[in-house]
Amino acid sequence: MVRKPRETFNSRMGMLLAMAGSAIGLGNIWRFPYMMGKNGGAAFILIYVIMLVVLCLPVMVSEYLIGRRGGSNPFSSFDRLAPGSKWRWIGFLAVLASACILSFYCVVGGWSVRYLAESLTLSFSDAQNDYVANFGTFISSPFKPLLYTLIFLGLTGLIIIFGVRKGIERMSKIMITVLFVIIVLVVIRALTLPGAFEGVRYMFVPDFSKVTAQTCISAMGQAFFSLSIGCGTILTYASYVSKEENILASSAWISFFDTVFALIAGLAIIPAVYAIAYMNGVAPDVSAGPGLVFITLPGVFSQMPLGNLAAILFFLALLLAAITSSISLMEVVVAFIIEEMHRSRTKAVLLSFVICGVVGVFCSLSFGPLSGFKLFGLSVFDFFDYITSNIMLPVGGVLLTVFAGWRLKRANYLDELTNGGKLKIPRWICLTIYYLVKCVAPIGIMLIFLNSFFS
Ligand code: TRP
């Protein structure tokens, strides 16, 4: 078979920022703070970090390794490493999962486009606005949210058309850098409000009374989602990575950066909510769930000095973070279409846009005209969110680690970690990772998964 040379990332920094861009997203800014708010603040962070190191890092290392060694989209990567076996269908499932995630992700991405547009028209400077009604009316209207969803998906596709280096790598580099600068500005604004310190205390002084079995499940699901593991995203990006890169160091770096960013996003939100509640003499409510960012925060911005500027920066940050993640999701589907269905990049992007756009429209409508339509008792949006985060990602994680730990030979595994002995990584570290991948992670993930499923 004649193969065209595949594109690769241009530099190590570009590769790391693209992967970090995938990991850092709505999961960090929109989901992490409200999960933390619901699950006891610092106690949740602690459990999250344990899950991350023991269960998720092994999954990421395995995905990275399979992608780099396989050098192709998830379907063919598995096929090359285990020729002719059924394993390649796991790769196919990963592509499917990515398309499902993108389909509901682009709806929330669309909301962030709309909130950025609103903040630019200074509409978050009015403390009298009813932000609950504002959000409710917007997401349930039949037309506007669809438009924003498609704008968001269109922007994602536009970047991908330019390819791995000129599109994904270049835009991730720029966007993640800008994102970092502006979120730090928002944090400074939040922390200099009187009363903000109580929010910081809430984040860093653990309250173990709120920890239940459910907390562990939520923490694991959140870690999977936030790190972009379990559905071929890291695998696809890793297939564009040179054989010289250090898999362990890259995975550790990405996980670290992602976690730090989630904490920074928390610092931009929680202390501000506390400060404004303190100012109004009411109890702070950080357990508002998904509405925290789109309902509570606009209210908070409208009451703080320089609030509208903070709102513009915040929603710009949210959008940038969401786009660098959605491009990684779409690239999984696009790489599959290019390589398995032999289409050009542009056609592959169009096809992914149409598929995810159609499903996305249904997800969006499920907040309004289609709210009565249920799949297994869930709205379309919740259904896709649920089956991906709670089923496909953990199952994908188990299968990835089982493949890496049991199907690949141990010598090959260790060889990949040390780049054939070129990297001087102490042997005990490689072996620890190997056994985490082979035994601890699949069993641990399975137990938590089954527990959540049957409880
Ligand atoms: N990690 C991203 C976030 O935190 C979302 C994301 C991108 C993702 N690729 C993924 C989630 C793959 C699960 C699987 O917003």
Side-chain angles (χ1 to χ4, degrees), residues 22-23 25-28 101 105 225-226 228-229 231 233 325 328-329 393:
S22 167
L26 295 169
N28 303 59
I101 296 178
Y105 203 84
F225 189 86
S226 190
S228 301
I229 53 176
C231 74
T233 305
S325 299
S328 73
L329 285 162
L393 295 184

Side-chain angles (χ1 to χ4, degrees), residues 70-87:
S72 189
N73 67 80
F75 185 79
S76 316
S77 285
F78 276 104
D79 198 39
R80 286 189 193 163
L81 298 183
S85 73
K86 298 237 169 14
W87 283 100

Side-chain angles (χ1 to χ4, degrees), residues 115-398:
Y115 272 72
L116 175 61
E118 287 277 297
S119 59
L120 285 172
T121 58
L122 303 186
S123 67
F124 295 139
S125 45
D126 181 2
Q128 305 310 319
N129 256 342
D130 180 351
Y131 290 102
V132 180
N134 184 324
F135 182 61
T137 316
F138 167 64
I139 63 169
S140 62
S141 64
F143 178 66
K144 260 178 121 185
L146 306 190
L147 184 71
Y148 285 111
T149 299
L150 295 179
I151 292 178
F152 178 81
L153 206 54
L155 283 173
T156 304
L158 197 64
I159 295 174
I160 298 207
I161 286 187
F162 288 93
V164 176
R165 283 194 185 184
K166 293 216 182 85
I168 297 175
E169 181 174 355
R170 196 179 53 173
M171 290 313 281
S172 299
K173 256 164 94 173
I174 300 174
M175 296 210 244
I176 288 295
T177 315
V178 175
L179 170 64
F180 212 76
V181 174
I182 54 188
I183 201 81
V184 168
L185 291 178
V186 181
V187 170
I188 293 174
R189 166 67 289 193
L191 291 183
T192 46
L193 293 167
F197 187 69
E198 276 310 303
V200 180
R201 261 179 65 93
Y202 172 81
M203 279 182 67
F204 294 107
V205 181
D207 170 7
F208 284 102
S209 68
K210 291 222 184 80
V211 174
T212 59
Q214 193 57 41
T215 316
C216 300
I217 296 155
S218 308
M220 183 176 86
Q222 172 62 21
F224 264 83
F225 189 86
S226 190
L227 291 178
S228 301
I229 53 176
C231 74
T233 305
I234 296 293
L235 193 160
T236 304
Y237 272 12
S239 72
Y240 304 127
V241 166
S242 89
K243 302 275 178 214
E244 308 300 309
E245 297 298 345
N246 183 335
I247 296 184
L248 269 183
S250 309
S251 306
W253 195 91
I254 297 159
S255 312
F256 173 76
F257 199 42
D258 184 63
T259 308
V260 168
F261 196 88
L263 294 176
I264 295 183
L267 278 178
I269 297 173
I270 309 245
V273 174
Y274 268 77
I276 299 299
Y278 169 79
M279 187 179 98
N280 294 335
V282 297
D285 181 13
V286 287
S287 60
L292 182 60
V293 160
F294 294 106
I295 297 174
T296 314
L297 264 194
V300 165
F301 287 136
S302 70
Q303 294 187 53
M304 63 163 85
L306 290 180
N308 203 81
L309 181 62
I312 295 175
L313 292 178
F314 180 82
F315 287 112
L316 179 61
L318 192 65
L319 177 61
L320 292 177
I323 288 201
T324 52
S325 299
S326 65
I327 53 180
S328 73
L329 285 162
M330 195 185 261
E331 178 64 19
V332 178
V333 186
V334 167
F336 175 81
I337 298 178
I338 295 177
E339 288 164 359
E340 303 307 316
M341 295 162 65
H342 311 288
R343 296 286 183 275
S344 69
R345 183 164 270 277
T346 311
K347 282 203 183 119
V349 168
L350 281 176
L351 192 59
S352 325
F353 176 84
V354 171
I355 298 171
C356 298
V358 169
V359 184
V361 161
F362 280 97
C363 289
S364 179
L365 288 174
S366 73
F367 289 100
L370 289 184
S371 60
F373 178 71
K374 303 277 184 220
L375 292 164
F376 300 97
L378 296 169
S379 73
V380 182
F381 182 97
D382 290 341
F383 175 76
F384 278 102
D385 185 2
Y386 187 88
I387 57 161
T388 52
S389 314
N390 296 354
I391 301 178
M392 289 172 136
L393 295 184
V395 169
V398 170

